[in-house]
Amino acid sequence: MDTSQTKSYWKLIVLAFPILSKDNENPQQCDDEQFLAIKNIIVENKLNNFVHGMVMHSIKQDLMSKINEFWLYFMPNDVIELSNLTTTTHGEIPEDFVGFNKFKYAIDELFNLAQSYTDTTNRLKLLFDNDKINCLGNLNAQICALLHSQLPSDYDTIIYQFYSVALKVFTKDDIIGDKKNTSKEGAFHCNGCCFEIIYCKCDYILETFHLANWYMLTIGFLESLAGDVIMDLIHQKIETEVLEITKENFGEHHVSALEKWIDTTVYNWMKYIYDPKCSTAIRGYKIERKYPNLKIFMRKLKHLLYESYTRTRIDQLFNIIIEYPDSEPAVIDLSLTLQKTDFKSDLCKKLQNALHSRLLHPAVNTIDIITAYTAAIKVLRKIDPCGALLQEVTQPIRAYLRSRKDTVRCVMTTLTEEGHYLTDELVRNENVLDEDDVCEEESMAEWAKWVPDPVDANPSKSSKRFRNSDTVSMLVDIYGTRELFVNEYRALLADRLLTQFMDNIGDEIRYLELLKLRFGDSLLHSCSVMLKDVYDSKRINHHLYSDPTSNLSSNNLNNKLEFPVRAIIVSNQFWPNFKDNFNVELPSVIQKHLDNYTKAFESFKGNRTLNWKPNLGIINIDLVLKDKTLNFTVSPIHATIIWHFQEQEEWTINDLSIKMRVPATTLRRRIGFWQNQGLLREKSFDTFIFVEDGIPTTSISGKGNRTSFVARNSEFVYGDDDDEMESAVASAQDQREEELQVFWPYIVGMLISLDSLPLDGIHQILKMFAPQGTGVDCSLTQLRLFLDEKVKDHLLIFTGGRYKLNKIVIILV
C-alpha cells in the first residue's frame, strides 16, 4: 500500500471514528451507510485490530482530560458551588442531603461521559464478526481504572452520606408509633429525609438513589466504588438494631425476629441497590449485567448478625446470669448464635473479668456469690453442654468461695431452708458422683444415646464431672470433700434443734433423709442420733409431767413457782462441741426448777443424771409493767439480765458481771437487746437503769405470734453481736481447724529442717509420722485449707508452689 492510499484510508477511518480527529471541536462524521462502506474497507485490509487499538487509545486520552471533574464533587464544600447541587426548597437543608446531591451529580456526569462514547464503541464492535471483543466492557474498564488512579483519600465521606440518607428513607416505616414524625422548633419533620413534612424529599431521594445505582452498575463501578461503604453501613445498621432490640431485654427471643428483619428489610434494600428495575432504555445500552449473588451476600450479612448478637450478649452475660431463669430466652438465643460463631474464648475472658470486678470482692455476701455461681452453672451448661466453658469460667469463683469461712454454712443453710431454690435441687435426688468413674458395664447401658464430645472439650476426668454433676454436686466439689459439708450440716442441725426445740422436726427428718440419699448413711449417722435425742426428749418431757409419781406432777409442785421446764437431753459423743466459754449463774428460782427436773429424771432413769448447759436454750417470759404486759422469748442470759433488774433498778456492768459470772464484754453486748426494747437505759458510763415506759427501737413478738418469733430467734436470742453469729455450736470448719491444730508442731518442725515443702510433701510426711499420736485423719484438701489459713495469719509463706515458715514463727518456736 503506497502513501497516498494509506492517507485516503486514514481519512475514511477518521470519518468513521471522529474521536481520532485532531480537530476535536468540529469533527466530521459519516452516516450509517457511509460507515458500512468504510467498515468493509477496514475489514478487507485487516485493519480492524489497528483501528480498535487507535480508537481505545484516543478514548483513554480524552477520558484523562475529563475524568478529574468527577472527583471535584468529593472535595470540601468550598471547592465547588453548592447552589447547583440542591433543589429549591424552604427551610434548612440537612448536611447529609447536600452530600447526597453531590454524589448524585457526580454519578450523572460520569454516566453522561461514558454515554458520549456509546456510538464509537458500537461502531468498533461492528468491525468484528464475533463477540470476542467487548468494546463496551473495555470502555467501562478504562473509566474505572482511571477513576481509581486518581482516588482521593477521603472520597468515602460523600458516598457514606449518599447511602445513609437513602437507607434512612428506606427504613423509616420500620419505626413504630408516634416517633415517625419529630418536632423541631414547632415544625414537624419527616423521619426519613429530615425535611419539614410539607417539603418531604423521600420520593426524590428514592428515585435518585434508584437511578444512580443503575448508572454505576451499567458502568461496572458500583462494587469497586461503594461496596465497602455499603457493607460498613449495613453492618452499623445491624449493630444498632441488635443493641436496640436487646438492650436489657432478656425475657424474649430475638434471633428469629432479627433473622426475619434481615430477610425482608435488609434484603429488599440490597436488592434495591444491586438489582434496580430501570425501564428506561438509554441510548443503546443493553441491560445485560452480572449482579452479585444476593443469596451469598445475604448469608454473609446473616453471619454478621450472629456475630453482632453474640458480642452484645457476651457483654450482657453477667446480668443474664444474675437474672436467670427469667433470662432463659436470651440464654437459648446465645447458645444458638455461639454455635455459628467463634467467640467462646472472648466469652470466657469477658465473663471472668465481669465476675472479678462485680462479684468476687468483699462487698458481696457469700450467699449472693453462691446464688450467682449456681445460676452460672445452669446458664453455661445451656450455652456449652460439653462443660469446657463451665470448667474454665467458674474456676475463679470456686477458688474465691474456698477462701471464705462461711461458704460451707451458707451452702448447707440454703440446701435445708424451706422455699430456697437449692432445696429443690436436693429434692431431685440426684446422687453425687463418686470419685471413681462409672464402671464400663453401667456406661454401656445407654450406649444408643452416646454422642461424642466437641473438639474443645477437656478429656480429663474433671471435665467429665463438670459435664455430668448436678448443681449440688458442683457446690460440694468446691472443697473436694463431702465430710466438710456433712460436719457443717451437723453443726447447723444442732443449732436449729437447740433454738427451735420441737418445732419443724418433721422438716429436719425430711432434709436428713434427702441428704442420706446423696451423701450416704454412714456420714450422717450422728445427725440421726441427734434427731432421735430430740424425739426421746419430747417423750421424756411428756412422761415426767404426766406421771403422777413424778415430782414434776402438778400435784407435787408449788403452784406459786410453777412453770414448765422442758429439756433436750443429748448424747454428748454424737453432738458437736458447744460454745462453753462461760456458764451463766441463773436465778435461784430457775435453778430450783432445774434441780427438780434433774431429780425427776434420775427417778425415771435410775443411775443416770443430767449436766445442764445454762447458757443454751430459750426462755419465754412475761414482763409486767405499769399499764401493760410484754412477752419475750429470749436466751437464758437475756432473761437473767432483766430478772436482776426486778431486784434493784440500777446495776453497773462490773456488779452484774460478778453476779451472773459472765464476762463484762459479753454482758455489755447482751444488754444492748434490752436497750433496743426501751426497757434499759445507760444512766452513766457502764451504769444501767430499768425504764418501764421506754420506747422500743425494734419490733418485738407478742405471745400470739410465738412461732414467727422463734423462726427469727437467732436474731435476738443469742445477742445482736456479729462475732458469735448467734450459734450455740462452733462451725464445722472451726471445729476441723481446731482438730488439725495438733498437726501444727509437726509442720513447723519439718519446715525448720527442710526450709520449704510442697503440699504433697507435707501431706506425705504427716501420714508417715503424725497419725501415731494424734488420732485425727487429714485429707489433702483439708490440709490445704488449713495451710491457707496459716498463710492468711502470716505464719506461713506460699511461693512457687511451696510453703515456707515465716521467720517470726521460728523465733516464737
Side-chain angles (χ1 to χ4, degrees):
M1 230 179 353
D2 56 13
T3 304
S4 60
Q5 190 177 7
T6 301
K7 289 182 179 180
S8 64
Y9 286 167
W10 176 250
K11 288 181 180 180
L12 293 175
I13 294 171
V14 171
L15 185 64
F17 299 97
I19 196 170
L20 298 175
S21 174
K22 295 182 180 180
D23 187 9
N24 292 329
E25 294 183 359
N26 297 304
Q28 295 182 358
Q29 186 174 357
C30 66
D31 54 21
D32 293 340
E33 293 181 2
Q34 291 175 325
F35 175 76
L36 291 176
I38 297 173
K39 170 201 167 187
N40 293 331
I41 294 173
I42 295 174
V43 172
E44 289 174 0
N45 290 277
K46 298 181 180 180
L47 297 174
N48 43 3
N49 288 328
F50 169 76
V51 172
H52 177 269
M54 292 296 295
V55 170
M56 294 306 299
H57 177 73
S58 299
I59 290 175
K60 180 180 179 181
Q61 296 296 323
D62 190 53
L63 282 172
M64 291 179 64
S65 63
K66 299 177 181 178
I67 205 72
N68 290 334
E69 297 179 2
F70 174 79
W71 292 118
L72 291 178
Y73 290 95
F74 294 79
M75 296 295 142
N77 293 341
D78 55 353
V79 175
I80 190 169
E81 286 290 334
L82 298 180
S83 57
N84 296 327
L85 300 180
T86 58
T87 57
T88 304
T89 186
H90 298 280
E92 183 181 353
I93 301 176
E95 182 180 355
D96 287 350
F97 184 75
V98 176
F100 178 90
N101 263 342
K102 290 175 68 175
F103 186 79
K104 179 256 183 187
Y105 277 90
I107 296 300
D108 284 349
E109 291 197 9
L110 180 66
F111 185 77
N112 292 332
L113 177 62
Q115 189 180 3
S116 64
Y117 301 106
T118 304
D119 293 339
T120 303
T121 55
N122 287 339
R123 286 187 173 184
L124 272 179
K125 190 173 182 180
L126 294 176
L127 297 180
F128 302 91
D129 294 333
N130 51 47
D131 294 332
K132 292 183 179 180
I133 303 296
N134 186 357
C135 298
L136 184 60
N138 292 339
L139 171 64
N140 292 335
Q142 287 275 20
I143 295 174
C144 293
L146 290 173
L147 286 173
H148 281 287
S149 67
Q150 302 177 18
L151 197 69
S153 58
D154 55 348
Y155 74 97
D156 55 348
T157 302
I158 300 300
I159 303 175
Y160 182 85
Q161 290 177 346
F162 178 80
Y163 282 96
S164 63
V165 167
L167 180 60
K168 194 173 182 180
V169 172
F170 190 83
T171 59
K172 69 174 182 177
D173 292 334
D174 293 342
I175 300 176
I176 302 172
D178 297 333
K179 294 183 179 180
K180 286 188 176 182
N181 298 322
T182 57
S183 179
K184 185 177 181 182
E185 297 179 359
F188 284 94
H189 287 69
C190 175
N191 196 71
C193 62
C194 297
F195 281 87
E196 293 183 19
I197 294 296
I198 58 175
Y199 305 119
C200 180
K201 301 294 181 185
C202 290
D203 293 338
Y204 165 78
I205 290 173
L206 289 178
E207 182 181 354
T208 301
F209 179 71
H210 190 82
L211 192 59
N213 285 313
W214 191 91
Y215 286 166
M216 286 187 287
L217 282 170
T218 302
I219 301 173
F221 196 40
L222 175 62
E223 189 64 29
S224 59
L225 180 66
D228 293 340
V229 174
I230 294 171
M231 179 60 72
D232 291 342
L233 189 62
I234 294 179
H235 196 183
Q236 292 176 18
K237 183 66 176 177
I238 290 174
E239 290 185 343
T240 303
E241 194 74 17
V242 169
L243 285 174
E244 292 234 350
I245 199 173
T246 61
K247 186 177 181 181
E248 301 301 327
N249 185 0
F250 309 138
E252 298 178 6
H253 293 281
H254 295 302
V255 171
S256 58
L258 289 169
E259 288 176 336
K260 183 178 180 181
W261 174 75
I262 284 284
D263 292 335
T264 54
T265 303
V266 178
Y267 177 77
N268 291 335
W269 160 254
M270 296 301 299
K271 191 175 180 182
Y272 208 79
I273 295 174
Y274 286 102
D275 191 16
K277 299 290 190 296
C278 190
S279 59
T280 306
I282 303 179
R283 297 192 61 178
Y285 272 89
K286 294 182 180 180
I287 307 176
E288 295 177 358
R289 299 177 300 274
K290 294 183 179 180
Y291 303 116
N293 193 329
L294 286 183
K295 292 184 178 180
I296 297 176
F297 199 75
M298 293 308 297
R299 283 201 295 268
K300 293 180 180 179
L301 290 182
K302 198 167 284 188
H303 185 73
L304 285 176
L305 169 66
Y306 296 142
E307 288 185 344
S308 180
Y309 183 87
T310 306
R311 280 194 295 264
T312 302
R313 285 308 194 199
I314 287 175
D315 293 338
Q316 302 168 343
L317 188 54
F318 181 83
N319 294 333
I320 292 175
I321 290 174
I322 296 301
E323 294 188 17
Y324 191 84
D326 294 336
S327 60
E328 186 170 4
V331 175
I332 295 174
D333 284 350
L334 178 58
S335 65
L336 293 175
T337 59
L338 198 63
Q339 295 173 6
K340 304 175 186 294
T341 56
D342 188 22
F343 289 146
K344 284 188 177 181
S345 60
D346 293 342
L347 183 149
C348 183
K349 293 177 183 178
K350 290 188 177 181
L351 183 55
Q352 282 185 337
N353 292 336
L355 290 172
H356 278 293
S357 61
R358 302 178 62 180
L359 186 69
L360 305 182
H361 53 82
V364 183
N365 295 328
T366 302
I367 187 63
D368 295 331
I369 298 177
I370 293 173
T371 303
Y373 175 57
T374 54
I377 291 173
K378 296 177 181 180
V379 169
L380 293 175
R381 274 186 172 156
K382 283 186 176 293
I383 293 175
D384 180 36
C386 75
L389 277 178
L390 178 61
Q391 183 178 13
E392 189 169 357
V393 169
T394 58
Q395 190 61 35
I397 308 179
R398 297 158 61 82
Y400 186 79
L401 284 173
R402 283 196 296 267
S403 68
R404 288 207 170 188
K405 290 186 176 181
D406 60 338
T407 297
V408 179
R409 170 149 290 217
C410 288
V411 170
M412 297 311 299
T413 300
T414 52
L415 276 177
T416 56
E417 186 177 87
E418 190 65 32
H420 201 277
Y421 71 96
L422 278 182
T423 306
D424 299 333
E425 296 286 340
L426 184 63
V427 171
R428 291 179 184 176
N429 190 24
E430 297 178 8
N431 293 327
V432 65
L433 292 178
D434 294 327
E435 294 183 2
D436 299 328
D437 289 334
V438 181
C439 63
E440 187 69 21
E441 291 78 6
E442 293 178 354
S443 63
M444 290 297 293
E446 297 184 353
W447 62 270
K449 298 180 181 179
W450 178 86
V451 291
D453 292 332
V455 293
D456 57 345
N458 191 337
S460 66
K461 183 175 74 173
S462 60
S463 178
K464 294 179 182 178
R465 294 178 65 88
F466 274 89
R467 292 196 296 274
N468 300 323
S469 300
D470 66 334
T471 304
V472 178
S473 301
M474 293 286 291
L475 289 170
V476 173
D477 199 49
I478 291 175
Y479 289 92
T481 175
R482 290 176 286 178
E483 287 79 3
L484 190 62
F485 287 87
V486 171
N487 292 335
E488 187 63 44
Y489 173 69
R490 181 168 163 247
L492 182 64
L493 178 62
D495 220 11
R496 288 176 177 172
L497 295 177
L498 291 175
T499 56
Q500 298 181 14
F501 287 92
M502 310 308 170
D503 297 336
N504 299 327
I505 191 172
D507 292 338
E508 297 298 341
I509 293 174
R510 173 172 169 265
Y511 293 137
L512 178 60
E513 293 302 320
L514 290 172
L515 290 172
K516 282 182 178 180
L517 293 174
R518 184 173 293 272
F519 297 119
D521 291 347
S522 59
L523 291 176
L524 292 163
H525 175 67
S526 296
C527 297
S528 298
V529 175
M530 291 165 60
L531 288 175
K532 184 177 183 299
D533 286 344
V534 174
Y535 177 78
D536 291 343
S537 299
K538 183 178 181 181
R539 180 175 52 83
I540 291 172
N541 285 325
H542 177 73
H543 174 78
L544 294 180
Y545 281 98
S546 61
D547 187 5
T549 62
S550 172
N551 62 340
L552 294 180
S553 175
S554 58
N555 297 328
N556 300 325
L557 269 179
N558 185 352
N559 291 330
K560 294 182 180 179
L561 301 177
E562 182 182 1
F563 61 85
V565 174
R566 304 189 185 277
I568 293 182
I569 304 167
V570 302
S571 304
N572 191 45
Q573 65 271 29
F574 293 100
W575 285 65
N577 297 330
F578 298 112
K579 291 184 177 178
D580 260 340
N581 297 330
F582 59 87
N583 285 322
V584 60
E585 182 74 20
L586 298 175
S588 58
V589 176
I590 298 177
Q591 189 63 48
K592 182 178 179 180
H593 279 73
L594 296 183
D595 294 339
N596 288 336
Y597 190 96
T598 303
K599 291 177 183 179
F601 180 81
E602 290 173 348
S603 300
F604 177 60
K605 287 292 185 178
N607 60 349
R608 299 178 66 183
T609 188
L610 298 176
N611 181 20
W612 292 93
K613 300 289 185 181
N615 59 314
L616 303 179
I618 57 175
I619 297 178
N620 185 268
I621 60 174
D622 290 324
L623 298 185
V624 181
L625 306 179
K626 291 180 179 179
D627 55 350
K628 57 185 175 181
T629 299
L630 300 178
N631 178 265
F632 293 93
T633 302
V634 293
S635 69
I637 187 172
H638 287 102
T640 305
I641 290 172
I642 205 67
W643 178 282
H644 287 300
F645 275 91
Q646 75 176 350
E647 298 176 356
Q648 62 183 58
E649 293 186 355
E650 182 176 324
W651 285 90
T652 64
I653 289 291
N654 290 333
D655 293 341
L656 195 57
S657 175
I658 295 172
K659 182 74 173 178
M660 296 176 57
R661 297 183 182 180
V662 175
T665 53
T666 301
L667 188 62
R668 187 178 290 109
R669 292 196 302 268
R670 303 304 174 90
I671 287 177
F673 170 76
W674 296 114
Q675 285 182 280
N676 291 336
Q677 305 306 320
L679 297 175
L680 294 184
R681 180 169 58 85
E682 191 170 9
K683 179 181 178 182
S684 59
F685 181 72
D686 279 354
T687 302
F688 295 87
I689 61 173
F690 185 78
V691 182
E692 289 198 22
D693 55 352
I695 301 175
T697 58
T698 59
S699 61
I700 58 177
S701 174
K703 192 170 184 179
N705 196 24
R706 184 175 183 275
T707 302
S708 64
F709 185 88
V710 170
R712 298 184 295 119
N713 201 41
S714 60
E715 185 178 347
F716 297 104
V717 170
Y718 297 99
D720 52 331
D721 56 295
D722 295 331
D723 298 331
E724 299 181 22
M725 293 302 292
E726 320 313 337
S727 177
V729 297
S731 67
Q733 188 168 349
D734 293 337
Q735 293 181 48
R736 189 58 181 166
E737 286 181 7
E738 185 178 350
E739 293 175 357
L740 294 178
Q741 193 65 33
V742 71
F743 293 111
W744 180 238
Y746 295 91
I747 297 172
V748 171
M750 69 177 72
L751 291 179
I752 290 176
S753 302
L754 302 174
D755 186 52
S756 67
L757 282 170
L759 177 64
D760 293 339
I762 297 175
H763 188 249
Q764 291 297 327
I765 295 175
L766 288 178
K767 286 173 64 178
M768 293 173 60
F769 300 104
Q772 299 177 3
T774 62
V776 179
D777 294 331
C778 179
S779 66
L780 190 64
T781 302
Q782 293 169 344
L783 178 62
R784 176 176 52 77
L785 295 174
F786 178 72
L787 295 178
D788 288 345
E789 288 297 322
K790 296 300 181 183
V791 172
K792 290 180 183 179
D793 296 337
H794 305 288
L795 299 177
L796 292 178
I797 299 174
F798 182 72
T799 176
R802 302 172 71 88
Y803 290 93
K804 293 180 62 177
L805 197 64
N806 203 339
K807 293 182 180 180
I808 188 173
V809 178
I810 300 177
I811 297 174
L812 291 176
V813 173

